[in-house]
Amino acid sequence: MPRFSIIVPSHGVAGRLPQALDSVLGQSFGDFELIPVTDGPDAPAQAVAAGYAERDCRVAPVHSPPAVGLAGARDVGLRAATGDWLLFLDGDDTLLPGALAALDARLGETGDVDVLYFEHERTPWWTGEPANPAAPVLARTPDGAFPPERAPHLTGVELPAWSAAYQRAFLTERQLTFPEGRFTDIGFGGLVSLSAERVAVLRQVVVRHLLRRQGNRLGLPGGHHFELLAQAELVLARAAELELPAERFGPLFEQLFAAVLKTAAHPRRLPRRRRAFFQRASGLYRRYRPAGYRTPGGSLGVQHRLLASGAYLAFRALRGANRALARAVSAVPRPRGLWTRLRYRHRLRTRLDANLAVYCAYWGRGYVCNPAAIHAKARELAPHIRSVFLVEADRAHTVPEGVEYAVIGSREYWDVLARAKYLINNANFADAVVKRKGSVHLSTQHGTPLKKMGADQATYPVVAAATGSFARLLARVDRWDFNLSSNPHSTQMWERAFPATHETLEYGYPRNDVYCTATADDVARVRRELGVPEDKKALLYAPTHRDHATGFETGLDLRALCEEIGDEYVVLLRAHYFYDRGAARGTGRIIDVTGHRSAEDVCLAADALITDYSSIMFDYANLDRPIVVYADDWDVYRELRGVYFDLMEAPPGRVARTPGELAAVLRDGSYADEEADALRAAFRERFCQFDDGHAAERVVRRVLLGEPPEALPPVVPLAERVPAPAATTLVRS
């Protein structure tokens, strides 16, 4: 007769069953039998179990039809078992190494007991910290073997069946089996606890339970939640029949109705018949409430009293109020960590530092974009203001020498955010950041909007799902005092997308100043850094992100394109910043510049731009160099992402719909002919009004130095600007 019988139901987990069986067969303690319970001779798990049985005589598969469910499968295994002690393991769970040896040793210490409870670990399916919910329950029990009345809180209904070892003779003598239906662990655990005379605990993790990606099937919506009431009634009726003392009946009653109330208050679990569930639960509550039972305090106590009185409408109103409160509390920004929250809260009470400015770009990706350009100009025009740039830890090495920075999440990060008067970002600061009275928040944005942004995304399901809570988005927008715009189109679209009380500054984008200030030497230097040969023309290919796609795909065979257009060209590939691959890399005629710090430098190096719907086209137009729109999926993008205007009606240059068309306009030079020039000129008139090389100066003088608008440098007319020169002549000879 083996020491242990391990029963493993396998319905729906054939793919993970070998992991469970291996965890048992790999135990250092070998005196056991392993009983996989499969659905039948033709079930997927049967072949797995049969293979193990051929290799190890301790494996003895049995069959149980799927119709009888988990309870029936366990009972079939129970009847087939011959061991002294029974363990139930789900097919996607594992025994930890040394588990059986630890159980055997503990049973040797405790002597004759009916049940040995032990700890288990719940492990997230992908990432996250495992949890041990049994530990606090078992921590409050006596050290040796004890009768259940010495630990009345150990009712059995809070622990799954696979968190205990059961003496087989005890189960057989008391005729204890798993109750039919769902939530069978609650019924079985309660009945076992009511029948046991001596129990013990092992304060050690024995089973590792893998949480399913789709969650517990019992938590899905449906009428099966009424079976929870059936299991609760089964246990309560047995407790009443045994005339269980009040000191034990009270905890059992409370734990059962904690599960019932959790379901009653969960709107998605009971899409229909919620009132019927509540009324039946109310009847059980009144029928089995122990004499002298005192309801718990707080909101849970209110729910108990409403259930006792059958006040469904009041319970529903309370549930709605609690949900609204939970949503409000979750929307309240708070840094992670108690000590960090307390420190940040304390710093918020200190005086604002009028000479402290905090900058951040792209959620901490580095010293880039409009915030970097403003920061550089502030060091020149407002040197008395201390400037701190916020970056992620893995980007700290990219911050230029001499630029003070703080790592996001660090103590210094929260300190400067709490005390800074000026907060400048091209995206948004964390929800936890509080808008203090007297502080000045500037949103610089990071592009001219072609695609729908902010609140305008709400009607596009794909992007709306990625955006998350629009209420939280607009709460972040409400912190803004100023919002930067580079053209009248942006001004109008930002007002739609981000409705709030901030002031729009039509000053241009500071990052684009370089397009008017860079020299031929600057262009040559950047090309050398990127590895562009002196005798080649550089085509910048910069596609945008597709919200409906996963991962980065160019959508264009760049090698084939290079073969088509001739060897006088090289292609600079710059993917969306979501797909930053690190440092710039060259592969012959295709140079990956996605990881290069400065998009502006890359644009300066390029003789022409090929893009689809990326906002880089609006910035590149300031250079007055040729632009080709490669619009192979415009109709799909417009439908799924949403756009503010029809780019095909007003493009910045030639439009190609296929790789062949793109190669043709590059090969014959039409991408830089008079018609392309005319399209680009109209585009520049519409979208390049304010980018004249002085945007950063206007921002610093207005926002940081407080100068009035009339004192700022006026915008240089488009016709009077001299863009940075291109490195090569573009029309083919």
Side-chain angles (χ1 to χ4, degrees), residues 268-349:
R268 290 188 296 274
R269 292 185 180 178
L270 290 167
R272 296 188 299 271
R273 300 181 64 200
R274 295 179 193 169
R275 184 191 291 270
F277 181 93
F278 183 88
Q279 290 174 340
R280 181 177 170 188
S282 178
L284 289 177
Y285 192 99
R286 291 191 296 270
R287 187 182 319 149
Y288 292 107
R289 178 174 179 170
Y293 175 73
R294 298 182 61 181
T295 59
S299 175
L300 181 60
V302 174
Q303 294 180 52
H304 272 257
R305 290 189 286 274
L306 293 175
L307 187 64
S309 61
Y312 174 71
L313 294 179
F315 181 85
R316 187 174 67 178
L318 176 65
R319 182 187 64 201
N322 286 340
R323 289 175 59 204
L325 178 61
R327 286 195 298 268
V329 170
S330 65
V332 173
R334 56 170 66 89
R336 293 181 179 178
L338 177 60
W339 172 247
T340 303
R341 291 200 298 270
L342 293 175
R343 182 181 178 87
Y344 181 59
R345 183 177 299 175
H346 170 73
R347 291 294 188 183
L348 289 174
R349 298 193 186 101

Side-chain angles (χ1 to χ4, degrees), residues 512-523 603-604 606 618-626 680-681 684 688 691-693 716-727:
N512 291 343
D513 286 353
V514 68
Y515 298 142
C516 293
T517 61
T519 65
D521 289 341
D522 295 322
V523 173
C603 288
L604 286 174
F618 302 95
D619 304 315
Y620 192 85
N622 286 287
L623 289 168
D624 200 17
R625 301 177 191 175
R680 187 170 71 254
R684 280 165 50 81
C688 298
D691 288 333
D692 64 348
V716 177
L718 188 63
E720 298 177 16
R721 302 175 200 165
V722 180

Side-chain angles (χ1 to χ4, degrees), residues 257-472:
F257 277 97
V260 169
L261 286 169
K262 184 177 181 180
T263 296
H266 201 297
R268 290 188 296 274
R269 292 185 180 178
L270 290 167
R272 296 188 299 271
R273 300 181 64 200
R274 295 179 193 169
R275 184 191 291 270
F277 181 93
F278 183 88
Q279 290 174 340
R280 181 177 170 188
S282 178
L284 289 177
Y285 192 99
R286 291 191 296 270
R287 187 182 319 149
Y288 292 107
R289 178 174 179 170
Y293 175 73
R294 298 182 61 181
T295 59
S299 175
L300 181 60
V302 174
Q303 294 180 52
H304 272 257
R305 290 189 286 274
L306 293 175
L307 187 64
S309 61
Y312 174 71
L313 294 179
F315 181 85
R316 187 174 67 178
L318 176 65
R319 182 187 64 201
N322 286 340
R323 289 175 59 204
L325 178 61
R327 286 195 298 268
V329 170
S330 65
V332 173
R334 56 170 66 89
R336 293 181 179 178
L338 177 60
W339 172 247
T340 303
R341 291 200 298 270
L342 293 175
R343 182 181 178 87
Y344 181 59
R345 183 177 299 175
H346 170 73
R347 291 294 188 183
L348 289 174
R349 298 193 186 101
T350 61
R351 180 178 299 178
L352 277 177
D353 187 342
N355 292 319
L356 176 60
V358 173
Y359 300 78
C360 190
Y362 297 119
W363 305 278
R365 287 188 64 246
Y367 188 78
V368 293
C369 197
N370 291 322
I374 297 171
H375 176 276
K377 184 60 68 172
R379 298 176 75 184
E380 173 188 340
L381 299 180
H384 63 285
I385 294 179
R386 177 190 172 200
S387 299
V388 180
F389 223 93
L390 307 180
V391 293
E392 290 287 356
D394 61 351
R395 294 285 178 162
H397 68 282
T398 68
V399 179
E401 185 176 352
V403 174
E404 183 179 358
Y405 68 89
V407 173
I408 290 177
S410 67
R411 176 184 296 183
E412 183 183 6
Y413 165 82
W414 289 110
D415 284 354
V416 295
L417 282 174
R419 296 185 295 108
K421 178 174 181 177
Y422 306 101
L423 295 95
I424 300 166
N425 205 323
N426 74 346
N428 255 313
F429 289 100
D431 289 349
V433 174
V434 174
K435 173 69 166 78
R436 294 189 62 179
K437 183 178 180 180
S439 65
V440 177
H441 286 240
L442 168 64
S443 169
T444 73
Q445 301 296 341
H446 53 268
T448 292
L450 167 62
K451 60 189 177 185
K452 293 292 181 72
M453 300 293 292
D456 289 339
Q457 299 171 343
T459 56
Y460 294 87
V462 174
V463 68
T467 300
S469 168
F470 285 93
R472 294 176 67 178

